[in-house]
Amino acid sequence: MAICVVPFFALRLDSSDAGNDPSNTSTYRAFNLLSHGFGAGFNGPLLIAVEAPSGPGQAAKLQAVRTALTTTSDVVAVTQPRISPSGKVAVMEAYPDSAPQATATTNLVNRLRDGVFPALQKRLGVAVSIGGFTARSLDF
């Protein structure tokens, strides 16, 4: 009975991506073309939301958040921040080095939430959150 239960501990219950589609579908082919052309993480960018008070220091704080993300291992690219019309929230995308369903991506999201973001909030006084399809799937 114990042998039958062992696989349970290796289950990953997040949502599947197009890499799991049948190999004869266009979604599967497109997923793989993007992965081969731009890197495995291109299919599952992490949406980074930053709540930063508007004012003279806002641009420097947003750049500091972007720098912290770009220097985090397993992050290969981060877009420039886009500021909301209210000026109080900015969003950027971080592209992991690994595919959306990879264990390395799960580890990256956890490392950002547990280590990088709290340190940024303490140092800069900005709230940083992570979302997007990949993070939402991990939360599931």
Side-chain angles (χ1 to χ4, degrees):
M1 181 78 146
I3 292 174
C4 294
V5 175
V6 170
F8 171 79
F9 295 105
L11 284 176
R12 293 179 50 90
L13 298 176
D14 50 345
S15 299
S16 64
D17 56 36
N20 295 324
D21 290 354
S23 61
N24 63 342
T25 62
S26 63
T27 55
Y28 176 84
R29 288 191 301 272
F31 183 89
N32 284 317
L33 281 172
L34 289 171
S35 289
H36 294 306
F38 294 98
F42 188 79
N43 287 309
L46 305 172
L47 192 63
I48 310 298
V50 183
E51 186 178 358
S54 56
Q58 183 188 44
K61 289 179 180 183
L62 292 175
Q63 194 56 43
V65 171
R66 185 170 184 264
T67 300
L69 289 167
T70 57
T71 58
T72 300
S73 62
D74 299 326
V75 173
V76 294
V78 180
T79 62
Q80 288 291 333
R82 294 183 305 272
I83 301 172
S84 69
S86 72
K88 295 179 182 177
V89 178
V91 67
M92 54 191 94
E93 293 177 326
Y95 292 92
D97 190 32
S98 50
Q101 291 187 41
T103 303
T105 303
T106 302
N107 294 339
L108 172 62
V109 170
N110 291 332
R111 191 167 62 250
L112 290 171
R113 285 179 173 161
D114 299 338
V116 176
F117 294 167
L120 287 170
Q121 184 164 3
K122 185 176 182 180
R123 183 168 54 96
L124 302 172
V126 297
V128 185
S129 302
I130 191 167
F133 177 79
T134 301
R136 185 183 72 230
S137 295
L138 297 174
D139 291 342
F140 172 74

